[in-house]
Amino acid sequence: MADQVVIPQPPEKQPVIAPGLTFAKVTEQISNIVLTRPTPGTWFILFGLSGFFVLLLGVAVTHLILRGIGIWGVNIPVAWGFAIVNFVWWIGIGHAGTLISAILLLLRQKWRNSINRFAEAMTLFAVMCAGLFPLLHLGRPWLFYWLFPYPNYMDIWPQFRSPLVWDVFAVSTYFTVSLLFWYVGLIPDLAAFRDRAKRLWVRRIYGALALGWRGSARHWKRYEMAYLLLAGLATPLVLSVHTVVSFDFAIAILPGWHSAIFPPYFVAGAIYSGFAMVLMLAIPLRAVYKLHDLVTMRHLDNCAKLMLATGLIVAYGYVIEGFTAWYSSDKFEWYMMYDRWFGRYSHAFAFLVATNILIPQLLWSRKIRRNVPALFFISLSVLTGMWLERFVIVVQSLHRDFLPSNWGMYTATRWDWAVFTGTIGFFVFMMLLFVRGLPMITIFEVRTLLPQAKVHGERRDVEGEPE
Amino acid sequence: MSVTHERELYGLMAEFDNPTELVRATRLAYLAGYRAMDAYSPFPIEEATEALGVHDTHVPLAVLLGGCLGGTLAFLLQYWISVDSFPINVAGRPLDSWPSFIVVTFEMTVLGGAFGGFFGMLARNGFPKPYHPVFNARHFDRASQDGFFLCIECRDELFHREKTETFLKSLNPVTVEEVAC
């Protein structure tokens, strides 16, 4: 072995944003998408298409409310079909938005600045889709307020020892805090929109939303403090939300659910699928709106790396589940694992391993991380895989419990598919409205990335520091 | 520059070309003794805030109070419901099984803190405030885009219509103008 100390040279860094931009140019580029440039044809096509699925969602939900959840494929023993699969899938997707906006802010990862806004919007819309499922699954969704502790003439209260009640608090807190965080981030950009809008009514709307922001240094200080603290609060919150979701399973005694690895493995899986969704949104957005200066290859590359890392944690989770089942020598645990690999739903598990573990390994290659169509395809594969993971956890574990006389099968009905595709349509629909009406990139944070934003060294004609 | 009547005057506004000039001007104005003034910029400039001598800890305090309030109320509510108002024996566990109350307590602490931060920031900044005199400055729409401004207000003790204007003009501004109330 040579004693020589080799100092690794850092590889040449790709710039976070393209050189040569000015404050005015950045502002123009982002605000003109909403204020002056004609809406691209792709937008209208997608709007129509997703609008159709929103209508489908409306029909499916109306039918459900009129007829009850018997129109779904849920039964006993599989009482938690698509509704819970989709709930966990959607809420997981939301997690990447908070990770980008809060955790990467605290870690001072400057590259987050051009993707955080639409990632946060993605969080909000994904949580909306997620929240719909448990509500509909209640059976009598119009009594949803029974979930909250409010004084009532029946003199009953929610059961606070139940993870399902924890979930209500976790998800509603998550949505509220994400909304506050998103809105606080929007205020200075709404002021820029107010000042750039040509038409009076447009100016009035943005002006009202901007709350009279004027960019005062005193305001900026409190603003940044509030933003930082909200990020600090959102960080443990986002970890807690999927932990609580995993408690819905882990606290039950069912084999395949009752596992201590669930909280970390659920959180990693959530972030994994969330980054896949960020990429699936970023890639078409930068192509359609020509945002290559602001959402650069470096962003896509970093998202892909985070996806790979969290994907490996998920793979580790699968391995440990198998190991625990074997090592516990518990007959039921081991049977559940055997059934997962070779039982009636083994095709779902095989497909899950392929899409969620094998295909994403392509991301080790730098060439593939820089190949935009490949990234798009891998993200789609991950989203499919993560959906299948939840399907396997929910359905496969439930359909073979302790007593063979309880065993059953689950098949989704067309109404299950209608609600699921309907929420995908709703998500795309909301994203399109967001892109059309609000700044999809945080303008003021991108300004701080420009080299001219730096205050240059003390001029010598200033004597001493202010007290 | 039009001469506004003294009583209708809010202050004098100087526009600067870049953040470095703005920070330098703010420092010099502070050293010259001006206190009732504010810098306006399209993105946060830490040095400008320092130069103004701003010290404000209300927002973190609001977050702390909000968080404590949320967490305490959540825990007490759960305790009261589970022990006093609606006791249910779940597999012989004690009624005050506090570890299962921690999740909701935590979530409500975060929610309280977030509300504290959000409303604390809005309240301290005086938002919503649809009208403010500085919006009367001619190029002030650029303060949210690419303009850097320093406004010395006439409520400052040292404010003098001509002397302050001369002082601002010595700071290498792009323009200096009067801001009406």
Side-chain angles (χ1 to χ4, degrees):
Chain A
M1 284 286 261
D3 291 332
Q4 218 176 339
V5 180
V6 180
I7 299 164
Q9 290 295 316
E12 231 179 280
K13 277 259 164 125
Q14 285 262 329
V16 175
I17 51 171
L21 288 167
T22 62
F23 297 129
K25 234 169 154 179
V26 167
T27 316
E28 246 171 63
Q29 200 182 347
I30 301 168
S31 61
N32 283 2
I33 291 173
V34 174
L35 296 173
T36 55
R37 261 164 63 179
T39 312
T42 330
W43 189 91
F44 285 105
I45 295 169
L46 285 174
F47 194 68
L49 205 67
S50 61
F52 169 77
F53 282 99
V54 173
L55 293 178
L56 181 69
L57 179 68
V59 171
V61 170
T62 311
H63 190 60
L64 180 87
I65 288 174
L66 292 176
R67 301 290 299 277
I69 60 167
I71 64 165
W72 284 351
V74 286
N75 54 38
I76 299 297
V78 188
W80 269 17
F82 260 35
I84 306 303
V85 176
N86 297 337
F87 162 69
V88 181
W89 187 69
W90 273 121
I91 199 138
I93 285 171
H95 280 43
T98 320
L99 184 104
I100 292 175
S101 54
I103 300 183
L104 296 186
L105 176 80
L106 296 182
L107 296 176
R108 295 180 182 273
Q109 295 290 312
K110 291 269 184 197
W111 60 275
R112 73 180 259 294
N113 287 5
S114 29
I115 57 170
N116 65 338
R117 173 68 50 70
F118 70 78
E120 286 165 30
M122 174 194 87
T123 297
L124 287 177
F125 305 143
V127 176
M128 284 181 192
C129 293
L132 194 62
F133 284 102
L135 285 189
L136 295 177
H137 195 258
L138 289 174
R140 289 185 287 169
W142 51 93
L143 296 176
F144 73 95
Y145 56 89
W146 285 11
L147 294 165
F148 293 99
Y150 71 102
N152 56 77
Y153 68 89
M154 298 171 286
D155 202 23
I156 55 172
W157 295 99
Q159 172 54 268
F160 282 106
R161 297 181 192 88
S162 162
L164 299 181
V165 172
W166 303 347
D167 224 17
V168 173
F169 280 86
V171 173
S172 48
T173 301
Y174 185 45
F175 182 77
T176 315
V177 173
S178 301
L179 186 68
L180 291 179
F181 195 57
W182 188 62
Y183 182 62
V184 167
L186 268 170
I187 292 173
D189 287 357
L190 289 168
F193 270 34
R194 170 197 67 202
D195 294 338
R196 287 186 63 82
K198 298 274 183 296
R199 269 171 287 181
L200 186 66
W201 65 272
V202 180
R203 188 194 299 259
R204 286 235 169 102
I205 291 174
Y206 288 122
L209 290 172
L211 304 175
W213 180 261
R214 48 188 191 274
S216 145
R218 292 168 205 275
H219 293 177
W220 275 123
K221 185 177 164 71
R222 298 184 196 113
Y223 175 89
E224 284 218 292
M225 180 53 86
Y227 199 62
L228 198 67
L229 288 168
L230 281 175
L233 289 167
T235 301
L237 178 66
V238 69
L239 298 179
S240 85
V241 172
H242 229 64
T243 302
V244 172
V245 170
S246 83
F247 285 165
D248 292 346
F249 299 92
I251 291 202
I253 54 164
L254 193 76
W257 285 8
H258 190 63
S259 165
I261 192 84
F262 262 35
Y265 141 65
F266 264 53
V267 171
I271 292 164
Y272 187 36
S273 60
F275 270 102
M277 190 57 104
V278 168
L279 281 172
M280 282 196 72
L281 293 172
I283 289 169
L285 280 179
R286 78 198 272 272
V288 171
Y289 291 105
K290 313 228 166 8
L291 296 170
H292 300 77
D293 289 358
L294 298 167
V295 182
T296 55
M297 271 327 284
R298 177 130 172 244
H299 293 102
L300 303 186
D301 191 36
N302 282 354
C303 287
K305 281 180 188 161
L306 277 164
M307 212 158 82
L308 180 63
T310 45
L312 288 172
I313 303 178
V314 172
Y316 172 78
Y318 297 159
V319 173
I320 285 296
E321 268 191 307
F323 172 78
T324 319
W326 168 74
Y327 191 69
S328 68
S329 300
D330 182 279
K331 212 189 284 177
F332 298 102
E333 281 285 339
W334 185 239
Y335 175 72
M336 188 282 301
M337 215 22 99
Y338 178 85
D339 183 69
R340 185 169 285 183
W341 296 333
F342 306 109
R344 298 288 290 277
Y345 290 105
S346 58
H347 55 283
F349 186 70
F351 203 42
L352 145 70
V353 170
T355 51
N356 218 17
I357 299 182
L358 298 181
I359 292 176
Q361 298 312 314
L362 291 170
L363 294 173
W364 286 101
S365 150
R366 186 179 158 86
K367 230 185 186 160
I368 291 195
R369 288 202 306 271
R370 292 179 175 270
N371 179 338
V372 175
L375 272 184
F376 191 80
F377 168 74
I378 293 172
S379 305
L380 188 61
S381 156
V382 167
L383 282 171
T384 319
M386 285 308 294
W387 188 86
L388 284 168
E389 180 202 297
R390 277 69 176 254
F391 181 82
V392 166
I393 291 175
V394 170
V395 174
Q396 186 266 332
S397 306
L398 277 172
H399 93 297
R400 291 282 182 273
D401 64 0
F402 301 97
L403 279 177
S405 60
N406 278 348
W407 292 358
M409 285 297 286
Y410 170 84
T411 322
T413 64
R414 71 182 89 160
W415 293 108
D416 279 309
W417 287 106
V419 179
F420 180 41
T421 50
T423 51
I424 296 176
F426 174 77
F427 178 77
V428 176
F429 188 82
M430 294 299 282
M431 279 309 290
L432 288 168
L433 285 181
F434 156 71
V435 164
R436 183 64 191 84
L438 291 169
M440 72 171 107
I441 291 178
T442 319
I443 313 175
F444 84 90
E445 285 186 343
V446 171
R447 289 189 197 115
T448 62
L449 292 181
L450 301 180
Q452 56 268 48
K454 211 168 240 150
V455 175
H456 294 293
E458 318 293 81
R459 291 267 201 96
R460 280 301 101 204
D461 48 7
V462 181
E463 306 246 317
E465 283 289 306
E467 317 123 49
Chain B
M1 186 184 288
S2 62
V3 177
T4 319
H5 194 270
E6 195 78 15
R7 279 172 60 194
E8 292 166 357
L9 194 68
Y10 174 75
L12 285 171
M13 175 89 82
E15 185 186 349
F16 296 91
D17 185 49
N18 58 54
T20 309
E21 292 288 343
L22 174 69
V23 169
R24 176 176 162 267
T26 313
R27 281 201 182 123
L28 289 170
Y30 192 93
L31 287 178
Y34 291 107
R35 292 295 177 271
M37 59 175 172
D38 211 338
Y40 300 90
S41 60
F43 54 86
I45 304 172
E46 213 177 312
E47 292 88 345
T49 317
E50 272 168 26
L52 285 169
V54 178
H55 182 73
D56 189 338
T57 53
H58 284 81
V59 173
L61 197 68
V63 172
L64 182 70
L65 288 178
C68 290
L69 198 69
T72 314
L73 287 181
F75 189 86
L76 291 178
L77 180 72
Q78 292 178 86
Y79 184 88
W80 175 70
I81 286 173
S82 308
V83 174
D84 189 47
S85 178
F86 197 53
I88 296 179
N89 185 339
V90 180
R93 291 188 186 86
L95 291 175
D96 60 335
S97 48
W98 63 267
S100 38
F101 306 155
I102 294 301
V103 173
V104 173
T105 307
F106 169 78
E107 303 295 340
M108 291 300 103
T109 308
V110 169
L111 189 67
F115 276 131
F118 180 73
F119 291 109
M121 187 271 284
L122 292 191
R124 282 298 289 173
N125 284 351
F127 290 150
K129 197 178 187 70
Y131 175 78
H132 192 274
V134 290
F135 287 119
N136 294 329
R138 245 173 309 154
H139 299 297
F140 197 73
D141 56 340
R142 304 241 321 274
S144 66
Q145 305 173 52
D146 61 345
F148 301 88
F149 299 85
L150 178 68
C151 183
I152 298 183
E153 293 151 29
C154 55
R155 65 191 165 87
D156 194 281
E157 281 172 11
L158 292 179
F159 187 87
H160 183 277
R161 180 63 193 76
E162 278 80 32
K163 279 183 195 160
T164 304
E165 186 180 340
T166 322
F167 171 73
L168 278 173
K169 280 191 169 156
S170 74
L171 299 174
N172 192 20
V174 183
T175 54
V176 176
E177 67 172 304
E178 288 178 338
V179 179
C181 261

